[in-house]
């Protein structure tokens, strides 16, 4: 099941994002402080026992731009369309908010292309995106991410 995250989910989300073996370093870790203040951005996937087995966040950037970030599905639950459903929940929320352009910075180009995102030059995105890159520990030499965009 996919649902909005709750305060009780924060430790599980933090654990997902911190465990490099779950995502091979393809998502950035986030601090508890960031997770608490951005909790309303998050959707989680939960199993039948209510355990968090995936997460994804929609971060509003500007009046017509939002970012999908912090997408992880635990390895033993991959291939069950949970990643797709988490992304679709974020896209649906973007439409509800009146935001019709969503991007992600990713090395998972095959997955996002399959979900009909298209590659875009970073320069075409809002300057705030680049400002976030400046603060990223991987910038500039250790970043292999590509901007992929969905216009809704
Ligand atoms: C990327 C990730 C979230 C995908 O989660 P998942 O639940 O296994 O993916 P899904 O089962 O929802 O896949 C959805 C669709 O994408 C397809 N797909 C999955 N990975 C793909 C890939 N690398 N290339 C092309 N298609 C892919 C699936 O076949 C499926 O197709 P369908 O819905 O038409 O049947 C998961 O592999 C993961 O957590 N990876 C590590 C962290 C990561 O890379 N996060 C992204 C950072 S931006």
């Amino acid at each position: 099941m996919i649902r909005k995250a709750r305060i009780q989910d924060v430790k599980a989300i933090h654990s997902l994002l911190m465990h490099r073996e779950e995502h091979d370093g393809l998502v950035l870790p986030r601090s508890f402080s960031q997770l608490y203040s951005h909790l309303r951005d998050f959707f989680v996937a939960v199993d039948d026992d209510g355990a968090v087995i995936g997460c994804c966040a929609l971060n509003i950037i500007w009046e017509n731009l939002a970012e999908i970030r912090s997408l992880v599905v635990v390895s033993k639950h991959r291939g069950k369309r949970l990643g797709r459903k988490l992304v679709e929940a974020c896209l649906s929320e973007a439409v509800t908010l009146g935001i019709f352009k969503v991007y992600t910075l990713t090395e998972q180009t095959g997955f996002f292309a399959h979900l009909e995102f298209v590659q875009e030059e970073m320069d075409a995105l809002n300057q705030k995106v680049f400002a976030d890159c400046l603060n990223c520990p991987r910038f500039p030499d250790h970043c292999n991410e590509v901007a992929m965009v969905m216009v809704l």
Side-chain angles (χ1 to χ4, degrees), residues 9-23:
D9 301 323
V10 167
K11 286 184 180 141
I13 295 170
H14 183 262
S15 172
L16 269 183
L17 299 177
M18 289 303 285
H19 278 127
R20 207 183 153 83
E21 62 269 24
E22 278 298 350
H23 51 70

Side-chain angles (χ1 to χ4, degrees), residues 26 71 73 78-84 106 108 110-111 114:
L26 293 174
L71 170 64
V73 173
R78 287 187 194 152
K80 300 177 181 174
R81 294 193 153 165
L82 293 173
R84 173 192 278 278
T106 186
Q108 291 280 11
F111 171 77
H114 191 76

